[in-house]
Each structure stands twice: as C-alpha cells, then as structure tokens.
Amino acid sequence: MQPAPNGSATLGSSIVDVQNGEKATINLSLDGTSEAHVLIGGGAAKYRVNTSVVDENGDGQISLVFDTSKASDPSSAMSAKGDDSVSVLSSTSTDSFEPRMYGIDVRLYNGSAWLSQVKGGMNVQGETTTTTTTTDGSSDDGTTTTTSDTTTHSGTTTDSGGQPGFGAGVAAVALAAVALLARRS
C-alpha cells in the first residue's frame, strides 16, 4: 500500500440514484493514488460494506458497480467496470436491503490512517405496497363478503415520524451540505 498524503478523490456525482433491484454505478476520480476505500451505508442504515478499489489501468477513474439485488451478499454485489478491481474488506447487513438513502464515504491512506476524502449518498428508490382487507360480516345466506384494496406507492420510503415535508429531498440537500462543509475543512 502506497501512502497518498497529497492524494485526492472525487465522486462523479454526490448523489447516485438507483431503483432497488437495479445496479448503481459510483464513479470515482483519483489523483495522486491508485487505491481508495469506499464505505457504503453505516449509521442508521443497518447496512454497511467497506471495499478497497484499485485503479489497475492507471487512468485515474474507477467505476464501482453496486448490484442492489445482491445486497445481502456484498461480495457478489460489488464489482468494478473495466480492468479496475474491487474487494470487500468487511460488511454488516440485515436480511433486507430497503429503499432509503445510504451514505458513501471515500477514504485515502495518508501513510498512517485512512482519512475521509469525500462523502456522498446512494438514493435507493423502490416500491411500497400496502394491502387493506375489510371483512363485511355475514350475509343472509351464511357467506362472508371480503373486499381487498391494494395501493402501490412508488418512490423512496422514509420514516420521518409522520412529519410532512421531510423525506429524500431534504436528506439529499443535507448530504450535499455536509459534503460541502467537509470539503471546506
């Protein structure tokens, strides 16, 4: 491992949007180093995968692919496009990978520690299906009438404690603001 005390990393996009069950591509640019660690998740997400990515062809670009349909097995969910490589260093996950915002943290080695370089987010969107079944009681002929209504909602499901106006949009703005603040310091 070569230290990169003057190295830097940038994300191609601070927020990566993906449909749950699809593949997300996280584009990285590296300068002054050929290796970075990329952490996806953590915090309240109850999902975390820490990877090492290496720019094998020396072009300064890495396209890390995260297959959300394989999220329960991080080793098979993570890959890199082209000649570059990725390896899963550690992971913690629950059985369900749910639609929500997951953090992205890119770190470089300065010779003694892995330091955070840039932060972003992966906005996993999906569907939530709600089924309501109502039993109408018995009719005169002894049968029971049951009515079922199914409503499908598309978009990101967030638990905001029932407070209107706080959702994925506010979370995206907050992540962007944190990224700007982290970059300034």
Side-chain angles (χ1 to χ4, degrees), residues 1 3-4 11 16-17 25 39 44 47 51-53 60-61 65 68 79 101 103 107 113 129 139 141 181 185:
M1 155 77 14
L11 286 169
V16 177
D17 290 312
T25 301
L39 173 68
Y47 184 90
T51 64
S52 172
V53 293
Q61 305 295 313
V65 179
T68 62
S79 64
M101 181 67 77
R107 300 173 181 194
T129 303
S139 65
D141 62 359
L181 288 174
S185 47

Side-chain angles (χ1 to χ4, degrees), residues 38-52:
V38 179
L39 173 68
I40 297 174
K46 296 182 184 176
Y47 184 90
R48 176 186 168 122
V49 59
N50 188 20
T51 64
S52 172

